[in-house]
């Protein structure tokens, strides 16, 4: 039994959406790794500040901390957008899965209907009903 083109297209679409979801998840994971690295850099800088008491170094460290905090805020907003993209991709993939299941069920019902009609035709013609 050959799959109809609509089922084959739906399967390809579902596979593509799965790949897009995985790519969005990878992007989000990378952003979260970058946020963790920034937070570690801030912690190291703060630890260095607690060990030093120099005014010049303190000013440079404060500028660096402000820069890291701004970058962390930007990455936080990016992570939120990426998390939303992951949710959207997962929903799109679920819709594709449901569509594929519905198309498969419709195809099976159509095949069963054809089989029953073929058996009825064979019975009406006086042939063997077990042969399609």
């Amino acid at each position: 039994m050959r799959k109809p083109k609509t089922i084959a297209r739906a399967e390809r679409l579902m596979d593509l959406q799965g790949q897009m979801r995985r790519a969005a998840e990878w992007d989000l994971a990378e952003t979260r790794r970058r946020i963790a690295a920034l937070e570690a850099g801030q912690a190291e800088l703060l630890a260095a500040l607690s060990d030093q008491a120099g005014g010049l170094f303190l000013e440079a460290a404060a500028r660096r901390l402000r820069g890291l905090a701004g970058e962390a805020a930007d990455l936080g907003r990016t992570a939120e957008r990426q998390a939303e993209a992951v949710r959207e991709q997962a929903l799109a993939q679920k819709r594709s899965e449901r569509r594929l299941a519905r198309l498969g069920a419709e195809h099976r019902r159509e095949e069963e209907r054809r089989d029953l009609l073929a058996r009825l035709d064979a019975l009406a013609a006086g042939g063997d009903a077990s042969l399609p």
Side-chain angles (χ1 to χ4, degrees), residues 98-112:
R98 286 191 301 268
R99 181 173 186 261
L100 181 59
R102 189 179 64 249
L103 287 171
E106 288 172 7
H107 179 66
R108 284 187 298 280
R109 282 191 301 270
E110 182 62 26
E111 288 293 318
E112 290 171 0

Side-chain angles (χ1 to χ4, degrees), residues 1 3 5 22 25 32-33 35 43 53 56-57 63 65 77 83 94 97 102 111 122 130:
M1 158 173 74
K3 284 188 227 178
K5 289 181 183 179
R22 284 188 298 277
E25 287 172 346
R32 287 181 175 161
R33 279 191 292 276
I35 289 171
L56 182 61
F57 179 72
R63 278 195 309 271
L65 276 174
R77 288 187 292 275
K94 286 291 184 188
E97 288 171 356
R102 189 179 64 249
E111 288 293 318
S130 64

Side-chain angles (χ1 to χ4, degrees), residues 43-117:
E44 288 175 10
L45 192 53
L46 287 172
L49 278 176
S50 67
D51 292 340
Q52 297 290 330
L56 182 61
F57 179 72
L58 186 61
E59 186 178 319
R63 278 195 309 271
R64 179 66 183 139
L65 276 174
R66 281 193 297 274
L68 288 174
E71 192 175 343
D74 291 344
L75 284 174
R77 288 187 292 275
T78 300
E80 288 173 10
R81 285 192 306 273
Q82 289 173 337
E84 180 60 28
V86 167
R87 282 188 292 275
E88 290 297 322
Q89 290 296 331
L91 289 173
Q93 186 178 13
K94 286 291 184 188
R95 284 190 299 269
S96 290
E97 288 171 356
R98 286 191 301 268
R99 181 173 186 261
L100 181 59
R102 189 179 64 249
L103 287 171
E106 288 172 7
H107 179 66
R108 284 187 298 280
R109 282 191 301 270
E110 182 62 26
E111 288 293 318
E112 290 171 0
R113 187 186 67 78
R114 285 186 193 141
D115 186 46
L116 287 173
L117 286 175

Side-chain angles (χ1 to χ4, degrees), residues 11-48:
E11 286 175 341
R12 286 192 305 271
L13 178 63
M14 189 182 68
D15 290 342
L16 176 64
Q17 287 174 333
Q19 292 171 359
M20 290 172 65
R21 180 189 48 81
R22 284 188 298 277
E25 287 172 346
W26 292 333
D27 289 343
L28 178 58
E30 177 59 29
T31 300
R32 287 181 175 161
R33 279 191 292 276
R34 289 178 59 197
I35 289 171
L38 274 175
E39 289 171 352
Q42 287 175 327
E44 288 175 10
L45 192 53
L46 287 172

